[in-house]
Amino acid sequence: MASQNSIHRTGLYPGTFDPITFGHLDIINRAVKLVDELIIGVAINIGKGPLFSLEERVAMVQYEMDIISKDKGILITVKPFDSLLVDFAEEQKADLIIRGLRAVSDFEYEYQMVAMNDVLNDRLETVFLMADLQYQAIASRLVKEIARMGGDISAFVPENVATKLLAKVSAGPT
Ligand code: ADP
């Protein structure tokens, strides 16, 4: 177990990332200022019926993390997980869980999650970050809808993701 006073701070940013957007990337660029090492936990999240497979989501996140890691000189690893978040965080020896807050609508769910996670593991702290105003409204779900309707998604997701998303929606329902 990581010591509470450890100098080396590991952050864990969990999510579905179906797919990763400029909103997520903005949060990651802020998170790297707070930690020495960042783990991006890609949740299997079958319940949410993701458009992309776990492998595809991990690969898209990894592609962007290679760019940020190089640019910022910080260790960022991408790992899939299918366990309880607190268990995964413990296994990864994470000190902080990073979450992004969009609108008030995120608050209720996040508030409950923190309260319940605190009962399960009181060593972990959750840190909430807000994205830059221009990225705050971006949600993976809406980006997928826009792509399905043939709209321009270049303002919401990086180029590699846009290419993969367009290929996916033009291939029709899976
Ligand atoms: P979930 O599947 O838990 O909704 P996502 O994979 O969509 O999560 O996102 C992971 C985290 O990133 C969540 O904390 C979510 O609130 C945050 N997030 C997603 N998009 C944005 C955004 N545009 N601005 C700020 N935070 C965001």
Side-chain angles (χ1 to χ4, degrees):
M1 201 167 93
S3 138
Q4 256 178 333
N5 300 318
S6 66
I7 294 167
H8 184 95
R9 223 178 249 286
T10 302
L12 169 64
Y13 180 38
T16 313
F17 303 104
D18 185 40
I20 189 164
T21 68
F22 284 142
H24 296 122
L25 288 172
D26 188 279
I27 297 296
I28 291 166
N29 276 308
R30 289 166 196 276
V32 295
K33 295 183 210 158
L34 305 177
V35 295
D36 303 293
E37 179 186 344
L38 185 65
I39 298 164
I40 314 290
V42 182
I44 291 186
N45 233 335
I46 295 299
K48 269 190 156 185
L51 176 68
F52 289 99
S53 70
L54 179 67
E55 292 71 26
E56 289 170 325
R57 285 181 278 137
V58 167
M60 286 185 285
V61 175
Q62 186 68 62
Y63 184 95
E64 303 305 325
M65 292 313 106
D66 288 347
I67 300 169
I68 297 181
S69 287
K70 218 170 177 187
D71 186 39
K72 311 258 176 188
I74 179 173
L75 178 64
I76 308 179
T77 47
V78 184
K79 297 189 176 168
F81 76 103
D82 192 21
S83 48
L84 212 51
L85 177 61
V86 288
D87 292 342
F88 180 62
E90 200 59 50
E91 185 191 307
Q92 298 300 319
K93 300 185 169 34
D95 305 291
L96 291 178
I97 292 177
I98 314 274
R99 295 289 288 173
L101 271 187
R102 278 165 290 199
V104 185
S105 53
D106 278 343
F107 181 80
E108 183 84 24
Y109 172 75
E110 297 289 345
Y111 170 81
Q112 280 189 314
M113 203 162 91
V114 168
M116 294 188 72
N117 281 345
D118 201 47
V119 174
L120 296 172
N121 185 330
D122 64 3
R123 187 188 66 82
L124 283 166
E125 291 299 340
T126 303
V127 172
F128 291 98
L129 298 172
M130 283 176 79
D132 190 87
L133 207 57
Q134 63 173 318
Y135 301 127
Q136 271 180 33
I138 304 175
S140 301
R141 183 177 58 81
L142 296 175
V143 176
K144 285 181 279 188
E145 271 178 41
I146 295 168
R148 281 194 192 100
M149 301 299 204
D152 181 4
I153 52 171
S154 60
F156 310 126
V157 292
E159 205 179 329
N160 177 59
V161 173
T163 307
K164 301 256 170 4
L165 186 48
L166 293 179
K168 188 66 118 181
V169 297
S170 62
T174 46

